[in-house]
Amino acid sequence: MPEILSPCGNMESFYAACCAGSDAVYLAGKMFGARAFSNNFNEDELIYIINYAHKYGIKVYVTCNILIYEKEVDKFLEFVRFLHKNNVDALIMQDLGMIDLVHKKFPNLELHGSTQMNIHNLEGAMMAERLGLKRIVLARETPISIIKEIKEKTSLEIEVFVHGALCASYSGMCLFARSIGNRSGNRGTCSGCCRLPYTLEDEKGHELMQGYPLSMKDLMTLENLKELIDLGIDSFKIEGRMKSPSYVYTTTKMYKETRDNYLKTGEIVINQEDFYNLQNIFTRNYTKGFIFNDSSLSNPNSPNHIGIHIGNVIDYKNNYITIKLVDDVSILDGLRIINKNFEYGLILNEFKKNNQLIKEGHKNDLITLKVNKNIPLNSKVMRTYSSKIEKEISEKIQKNTRKVPIDVSVKIKANKPIEMSFSDHKNIVTIKGIIPSPAIKKSTGRDEIEEKIRKINNTIYEIENLEIEIDECLFIPISEINSLRRACLSKLDTERINNFNKNFKENDYNISLKDYPKENKHAFLKDYKYTCSGLTILKIPKIVNNYQKYSKEKEYLVGEIGSLVKFSNVISDYSFNVTNSYTVALLHFLGVKRVTLSLELSDLDIKDLIENYLKRYQKKPNLELITRCRIEVMVLKLDLFQYGNVKYLVDRFKNKYLVLKKDNLVYIYDYKETKREKSDEYYFDLGINVLREEII
């Protein structure tokens, strides 16, 4: 049965996920997670969450899915060690070197490959398997046919996103925010460039469209869960660590109930009340995504929560509007009034019907309210926040009716200690008490004992089956039954927490490497042709769906990990996101003859990386550095050429980003050229062997 994996950006969202029936949650500590702007959790909170979740049978995955810089490795390892010792169920990781390091040092710690790894083909999955990953989170662009192939031909667990926000670019391949404002998506500080307004222009500067061409609809796969369940997908991942507790609660509940109903009846039934609630809570409209080859993917008219249509403006006079309702509305609801090129938002603090103040309006009512802006007639009124729905969900989360079913057995026999056992169908705990004494006046009855045993309403448990064996004419102090019940509950709590223990073990890290000679060379790349020392080879793109056109015997510049399975004579490109010496070492060990460093590294970062490599391995690496280029800031499966023969993506500051289409993918290049400031001799002296310039 596929798990329902819920996002948690704060404690309220964690409780929401638990309450709604989540099987697992994913969240981050204060560092090393790809959502740095979530509240996230300190170490004490993480310990509490892991123990709390484990009592409910919920797994906890911690995201350590950013690139790690050389100076951070020791602190990163310390954090991993802390999580492992406190029984975290798995880490979600992106950085190749850190995956290798953590897998070797902590062999009993389960590792999952983040979607940031850009695993989108069978070969990439096979390399992930070789790296020691137990599960991979596939790129959201991966179609169902490729997922099926990976599931059939590897032993990996497969996790797919089933709901939530979609990135425009392949994850891990986006350098847009890094290029514009030094906020890297690979470091957890994405600024959401794809949600900003742009104009698309052709080669002559003619406008093809204006709006939000990179803003994706939200993924929703409820109607297609049958296919994913039948395929044997291991985990259904809901995006949303920046979303509200009500969002987490509602999406978790919807996917859990739909999954459970299908497994029980063979039918997909969607709870329409929950779906209605979710549209009020958050939606950018929905798509089935690339996974199901949906052609309607983007929402070029708006990057924001759209909400649900609740009425139309039929009159405007003296700063008052009249709305004819098509749905109910309540005081303190959030509204957005929209028309062509017009948008106005407000909180419904006060409104009237028939000149009388009211707190609720209903379908077909005419309501009036004050505004401070001229509102066009026939504008649509959308509700973007429902105070009533939020209150109802908040109350459900606080109440938390989720229970763990248990069986209880009590044996009370003459001349033998009282024996009480609790079982959750995985763990059995037994506590023995006093030897009951013969009854002098009144014996203790079965009903009285049962009443005391069932007093567990303030715990996470509910009694499914209760068996009481009791001899006649015995007296048992009720305090003894209460004491045994409390002891059993406490011991069962402990067993359920410890049942998740991954048996902490720490080994030494080691790797076998060769020494590379010092070289001072220059390389050039243009039109997928890479030239160095007079030799020209092909660059294989960072997205590969077919390797057949490439000969296995030739040398290539490669951009994704699947190529390491297919080819033995390769140079790794900057898209391997190499930011530390451990990744350099791993790639050399895997057969990469030269490693191109990440474009995100500063000169000081490069110096740290090389010095630590030399010190740790007593060998010289073979490194390449791009010193001049127009950065490829995005690679998209989304087709921008649906709007015409696009040449430029133009931002609100009139900067023009070059747009090219190659092999049915769209590439966006920075509007400006990036160039390293230091001289070639400086980088050669640091230990770089090859300096590369790229020309579009």
Side-chain angles (χ1 to χ4, degrees):
M1 180 172 69
E3 72 180 11
I4 305 300
L5 176 56
S6 304
C8 300
N10 54 44
M11 197 64 77
E12 291 76 18
S13 292
F14 169 67
Y15 288 132
C18 296
C19 177
S22 178
D23 301 304
V25 296
Y26 67 102
L27 44 85
K30 292 295 185 181
M31 298 183 295
F32 310 123
R35 285 292 181 268
F37 301 120
S38 289
N39 288 348
N40 298 320
F41 303 94
N42 62 37
E43 291 191 354
D44 288 340
E45 289 170 330
L46 287 169
I47 293 171
Y48 170 81
I49 283 171
I50 292 169
N51 290 338
Y52 184 99
H54 285 178
K55 284 195 287 186
Y56 277 100
I58 300 168
K59 292 185 176 181
V60 178
Y61 309 141
V62 172
T63 59
C64 296
N65 56 340
I66 65 167
L67 301 178
I68 305 300
Y69 283 31
E70 196 70 37
K71 60 189 176 185
E72 300 170 326
V73 172
D74 289 345
K75 188 171 286 188
F76 176 75
L77 267 185
E78 184 182 329
F79 182 57
V80 171
R81 188 179 291 110
F82 157 78
L83 290 170
H84 192 15
K85 285 184 174 181
N86 284 283
N87 300 329
V88 72
D89 294 282
L91 303 185
I92 304 172
M93 299 180 67
Q94 170 192 10
D95 190 296
L96 294 174
M98 293 301 98
I99 289 172
D100 186 54
L101 174 62
V102 172
H103 178 60
K104 287 175 177 174
K105 285 192 70 66
F106 307 108
N108 293 337
L109 179 56
E110 187 173 310
L111 303 181
H112 298 174
S114 169
T115 189
Q116 293 286 117
M117 288 183 69
N118 182 32
I119 298 173
H120 59 276
N121 54 35
L122 173 62
E123 290 75 12
M126 292 169 66
M127 178 51 67
E129 196 172 29
R130 182 176 172 185
L131 292 174
L133 297 173
K134 183 176 181 182
R135 176 187 293 186
I136 53 174
V137 188
L138 288 170
R140 279 169 268 204
E141 293 81 1
T142 312
I144 195 76
S145 57
I146 299 297
I147 296 174
K148 184 175 186 294
E149 184 181 28
I150 293 171
K151 187 63 184 172
E152 290 174 348
K153 295 182 179 180
T154 74
S155 62
L156 290 164
E157 291 183 2
I158 304 298
E159 180 175 308
V160 297
F161 281 93
V162 293
H163 195 99
L166 290 170
C167 295
S169 174
Y170 276 80
S171 295
M173 301 293 105
C174 183
L175 298 175
F176 211 158
R178 177 68 169 80
S179 175
I180 293 174
N182 205 29
R183 284 174 51 172
S184 168
N186 283 318
R187 295 279 292 166
T189 57
C190 173
S191 58
C193 299
C194 53
R195 303 296 180 188
L196 296 175
Y198 298 96
T199 301
L200 295 179
E201 293 183 356
D202 65 14
E203 191 169 11
K204 295 182 179 180
H206 297 144
E207 182 180 307
L208 299 174
M209 78 84 68
Q210 188 176 39
Y212 302 90
L214 301 179
S215 183
M216 303 286 281
K217 293 179 180 177
D218 285 349
L219 178 66
M220 188 179 78
T221 63
L222 274 172
E223 294 178 349
N224 298 85
L225 281 196
K226 174 185 184 301
E227 295 172 65
L228 297 176
I229 294 171
D230 292 349
L231 192 59
I233 300 301
D234 299 278
S235 181
F236 292 164
K237 187 169 196 169
I238 298 166
E239 182 277 337
R241 279 191 287 147
M242 302 286 285
K243 299 290 199 317
S244 67
S246 57
Y247 171 91
V248 173
Y249 174 87
T250 305
T251 50
T252 299
K253 181 174 180 288
M254 286 176 67
Y255 280 85
K256 173 183 167 51
E257 289 181 352
T258 304
R259 176 203 65 184
D260 292 351
N261 187 72
Y262 174 72
L263 293 173
K264 184 178 180 180
T265 68
E267 296 183 4
I268 294 293
V269 179
I270 299 171
N271 186 314
Q272 293 303 314
E273 181 182 352
D274 286 338
F275 182 58
Y276 174 83
N277 289 348
L278 184 57
Q279 288 176 291
N280 280 274
I281 294 165
F282 195 91
T283 177
R284 294 186 180 100
N285 286 334
Y286 295 114
T287 175
K288 294 181 181 180
F290 296 106
I291 186 173
F292 292 112
N293 199 29
D294 192 339
S295 60
S296 178
L297 292 155
S298 63
N299 188 9
N301 298 316
S302 174
N304 301 317
H305 170 40
I306 293 170
I308 196 163
H309 181 212
I310 58 98
N312 301 291
V313 177
I314 63 171
D315 190 34
Y316 170 79
K317 189 181 297 181
N318 298 327
N319 289 337
Y320 280 87
I321 59 171
T322 301
I323 300 172
K324 183 171 183 179
L325 296 176
V326 297
D327 201 344
D328 295 347
V329 72
S330 299
I331 197 80
L332 299 182
D333 281 357
L335 304 183
R336 178 176 290 131
I337 302 172
I338 57 175
N339 206 316
K340 186 178 181 180
N341 300 320
F342 175 86
E343 187 170 314
Y344 174 71
L346 72 150
I347 299 296
L348 197 56
N349 290 312
E350 185 178 279
F351 64 105
K352 295 180 179 180
K353 175 184 174 183
N354 297 329
N355 280 327
Q356 298 293 319
L357 288 173
I358 57 173
K359 292 187 176 181
E360 287 191 357
H362 303 287
K363 184 177 180 181
N364 294 323
D365 283 352
L366 298 180
I367 65 169
T368 59
L369 57 130
K370 189 174 182 179
V371 293
N372 56 17
K373 196 170 187 178
N374 293 335
I375 307 294
L377 295 182
N378 301 317
S379 294
K380 276 189 172 183
V381 182
M382 311 295 291
R383 179 172 54 225
T384 56
Y385 177 86
S386 170
S387 58
K388 185 176 181 181
I389 291 172
E390 292 288 340
K391 182 181 178 183
E392 289 173 353
I393 292 176
S394 179
E395 289 173 351
K396 289 177 181 177
I397 295 171
Q398 290 178 14
K399 190 175 180 181
N400 188 11
T401 58
R402 180 169 180 167
K403 296 290 183 180
V404 176
I406 59 173
D407 294 341
V408 177
S409 170
V410 183
K411 294 180 181 179
I412 304 174
K413 301 292 183 180
N415 302 317
K416 290 185 178 180
I418 301 170
E419 189 175 289
M420 187 179 293
S421 297
F422 280 26
S423 169
D424 62 3
H425 310 292
K426 289 183 180 179
N427 306 283
I428 300 176
V429 299
T430 300
I431 302 290
K432 291 185 177 182
I434 64 172
I435 297 174
S437 56
I440 299 175
K441 294 182 179 180
K442 180 184 177 183
S443 59
T444 305
R446 179 188 302 270
D447 292 345
E448 193 174 5
I449 292 171
E450 179 172 347
E451 178 192 355
K452 301 304 177 185
I453 292 173
R454 289 192 180 277
K455 285 188 173 181
I456 61 170
N457 290 337
N458 61 341
T459 73
I460 69 169
Y461 303 104
E462 65 178 1
I463 297 175
E464 199 169 53
N465 298 295
L466 174 60
E467 293 183 2
I468 300 175
E469 297 180 33
I470 183 170
D471 288 349
E472 295 181 355
C473 302
L474 295 176
F475 172 74
I476 305 98
I478 293 304
S479 60
E480 177 69 5
I481 299 298
N482 290 335
S483 177
L484 289 173
R485 182 194 69 237
R486 287 191 291 267
C488 281
L489 288 170
S490 176
K491 190 173 182 181
L492 186 56
D493 278 351
T494 302
E495 288 297 316
R496 289 180 65 80
I497 292 171
N498 291 339
N499 191 42
F500 286 78
N501 194 304
K502 297 298 180 182
N503 302 315
F504 178 85
K505 180 181 180 181
E506 183 168 358
N507 293 339
D508 292 331
Y509 162 81
N510 59 76
I511 192 168
S512 178
L513 299 171
K514 63 183 287 189
D515 197 19
Y516 291 89
K518 185 73 181 80
E519 299 175 292
N520 294 346
K521 295 181 178 180
H522 289 88
F524 300 90
L525 179 70
K526 183 178 181 181
D527 297 330
Y528 282 87
K529 292 181 180 178
Y530 171 91
T531 301
C532 183
S533 297
L535 176 67
T536 298
I537 63 175
L538 286 179
K539 171 183 174 177
I540 295 179
K542 57 181 90 168
I543 308 299
V544 186
N545 296 314
N546 183 3
Y547 294 96
Q548 292 181 357
K549 60 183 177 181
Y550 303 106
S551 169
K552 291 185 178 180
E553 286 72 36
K554 291 186 177 181
E555 180 180 353
Y556 296 104
L557 175 67
V558 300
E560 49 83 50
I561 64 172
S563 295
L564 303 184
V565 173
K566 298 297 289 187
F567 311 110
S568 57
N569 190 12
V570 298
I571 301 166
S572 63
D573 207 356
Y574 73 89
S575 50
F576 276 78
N577 292 325
V578 178
T579 58
N580 59 68
S581 57
Y582 292 91
T583 306
V584 176
L586 173 65
L587 291 174
H588 278 329
F589 175 78
L590 293 173
V592 175
K593 73 174 190 178
R594 187 160 64 247
V595 176
T596 306
L597 296 177
S598 167
L599 292 169
E600 302 192 63
L601 290 177
S602 69
D603 291 344
L604 182 59
D605 295 327
I606 295 169
K607 184 174 183 292
D608 286 345
L609 184 155
I610 294 172
E611 287 179 350
N612 278 278
Y613 189 101
L614 295 172
K615 181 179 179 181
R616 185 181 310 109
Y617 305 116
Q618 301 295 305
K619 303 283 177 65
K620 292 186 293 294
N622 192 7
L623 300 176
E624 185 161 331
L625 180 67
I626 299 173
T627 57
R628 181 184 176 188
C629 69
R630 280 182 71 175
I631 295 175
E632 194 175 272
V633 295
M634 275 190 175
V635 53
L636 303 89
K637 199 171 183 179
L638 176 69
D639 187 9
L640 295 184
F641 286 77
Q642 62 184 292
Y643 300 106
N645 192 18
V646 177
K647 189 68 174 180
Y648 298 106
L649 177 83
V650 186
D651 68 17
R652 61 198 190 281
F653 304 112
K654 306 303 179 184
N655 298 313
K656 290 192 173 187
Y657 297 81
L658 180 64
V659 181
L660 298 177
K661 190 172 185 179
K662 306 170 189 174
D663 298 324
N664 295 317
L665 294 173
V666 174
Y667 295 82
I668 301 176
Y669 294 84
D670 200 353
Y671 70 91
K672 62 184 183 302
E673 186 178 75
T674 296
K675 187 175 182 180
R676 291 274 175 182
E677 295 180 356
K678 300 289 198 311
S679 67
D680 290 0
E681 289 72 23
Y682 171 84
Y683 295 111
F684 286 140
D685 289 345
L686 274 186
I688 300 295
N689 276 357
V690 177
L691 300 177
R692 187 202 311 175
E693 293 186 18
E694 296 190 352
I695 303 169
I696 299 176

